[in-house]
Amino acid sequence: MGRVWDALKVEKKVGSGKIDFFQAYGSNNDTTTTEGDDHVFTGLYSMWDFGEYLKETDFYLLRNHKRADANAPLTYVAGLRITSKKGAIDYRYEGTFQKQNLEGLNNVTGFQEDLEVGYNIGASGYMRVAAEAFIASSHYNQLYPLGHKYLGHVDLLGRRNLKGFGASYRMKLADDLKFWLTYQSFRRYKRKASVFKVNGTAYAGASNSKDLGQEIDSWVKYSRGNDGDWILGGGYFMPGKFFKDQSAAKDDAVRFGYLMYMVKF
């Protein structure tokens, strides 16, 4: 699926922070003639520096709806994001609350929370280990998810009716060479609610199990200064009982690999 945006943003600096107002029109599948799948995404996003323990503190209010369908899901979002570093310890937290009309239901609420705490070894960040916990309710609308980055490189699960934990390891092998290794375990938030893909659709099939599976990802990045970065990575997803209950074919692990070159301008 392709997605194209036309957007307007206005920025206002206030003291130690700034406030952005934006309105964006999204065209799905790169079509301009069919508006039924296109969205209007509006928001206020504020960024603040409250000192060393709250170095990056963001508050945001968002509204999302389809352009041509008055009965389509309408989502209001209030969120808080914090990231900071004090000495060898760093952390990031994001919590989101939603109110929406979803799937024929009015005033449905949803939420998600994600917390990661890391410990850095060496003054230059030679090594970092971290632990993470996350949860998303059964009616949470992930809106426009960022693939690969947060819920595994294989991209089998969306942030809805999901909970779990993870651990990560990063090592600087040389000034221009870094290595990452991550592990995540996934479970359903509610046993009777569906399991969702990254694109927001539900997996077919039934199971009484909350166990969705585990994933291990690793990648290496070689930086060529101002020219760009080479990244070699991959993921290995081990299905849990939920997927194994669907069919014998779902017992197989899912593998994903890639080689990417990122150009810097």
Side-chain angles (χ1 to χ4, degrees):
M1 180 182 72
R3 184 181 293 134
V4 179
W5 292 97
D6 293 316
L8 172 68
K9 187 185 81 167
V10 178
E11 177 183 306
K12 172 66 176 178
K13 292 186 177 180
V14 181
S16 62
K18 64 177 181 178
I19 301 174
D20 288 346
F21 169 79
F22 68 88
Q23 181 154 318
Y25 294 87
S27 177
N28 280 333
N29 300 319
D30 298 330
T31 60
T32 57
T33 58
T34 303
E35 293 187 354
D37 60 354
D38 297 346
H39 291 77
V40 180
F41 188 38
T42 308
L44 283 171
Y45 198 104
S46 64
M47 294 152 277
W48 309 92
D49 179 356
F50 293 132
E52 56 186 359
Y53 293 103
L54 300 170
K55 195 65 177 176
E56 296 181 28
T57 304
D58 303 344
F59 302 95
Y60 53 87
L61 297 172
L62 310 173
R63 182 181 187 271
N64 187 78
H65 69 96
K66 284 189 177 181
R67 296 174 63 180
D69 188 352
N71 297 316
L74 171 63
T75 304
Y76 294 94
V77 182
L80 167 67
R81 174 186 172 273
I82 307 172
T83 179
S84 194
K85 181 178 180 181
K86 173 63 175 176
I89 304 295
D90 67 80
Y91 77 94
R92 65 170 178 85
Y93 167 82
E94 185 162 11
T96 309
F97 176 80
Q98 295 179 339
K99 189 173 182 180
Q100 57 191 326
N101 297 330
L102 180 67
E103 298 166 352
L105 302 174
N106 294 324
N107 298 321
V108 174
T109 60
F111 73 91
Q112 73 83 26
E113 291 185 281
D114 193 332
L115 173 66
E116 182 184 62
V117 179
Y119 180 76
N120 297 269
I121 302 171
S124 60
Y126 167 74
M127 189 181 301
R128 178 181 182 268
V129 292
E132 177 191 15
F134 50 88
I135 187 171
S137 69
S138 57
H139 284 304
Y140 183 70
N141 184 351
Q142 63 183 345
L143 294 179
Y144 308 102
L146 182 63
H148 301 322
K149 186 173 178 62
Y150 293 110
L151 295 177
H153 280 27
V154 182
D155 283 339
L156 286 182
L157 298 169
R159 194 178 293 274
R160 180 176 175 183
N161 195 36
L162 186 71
K163 64 179 181 179
F165 63 89
S168 63
Y169 172 81
R170 183 192 69 201
M171 184 176 183
K172 184 186 292 185
L173 303 175
D175 288 341
D176 56 1
L177 189 64
K178 293 180 180 180
F179 168 77
W180 284 263
L181 178 67
T182 65
Y183 165 83
Q184 288 178 306
S185 176
F186 303 101
R187 294 180 64 82
R188 275 198 282 188
Y189 172 67
K190 284 188 176 181
R191 190 184 305 273
K192 294 184 179 181
S194 299
V195 177
F196 292 87
K197 305 175 186 179
V198 174
N199 64 7
T201 61
Y203 279 101
S207 172
N208 196 42
S209 176
K210 284 189 173 184
D211 179 22
L212 300 180
Q214 304 170 73
E215 182 168 334
I216 297 174
D217 300 306
S218 65
W219 63 104
V220 177
K221 182 171 77 171
Y222 171 64
S223 299
R224 301 186 57 193
N226 295 325
D227 295 331
D229 300 326
W230 281 103
I231 301 175
L232 175 64
Y236 184 79
F237 183 87
M238 296 161 281
K241 193 173 186 304
F242 171 85
F243 290 106
K244 292 180 179 180
D245 285 346
Q246 311 310 318
S247 69
K250 298 296 180 67
D251 289 353
D252 295 337
V254 181
R255 300 168 180 85
F256 170 77
Y258 65 96
L259 175 64
M260 176 172 64
Y261 183 68
M262 296 178 61
V263 180
K264 296 181 180 179
F265 295 96

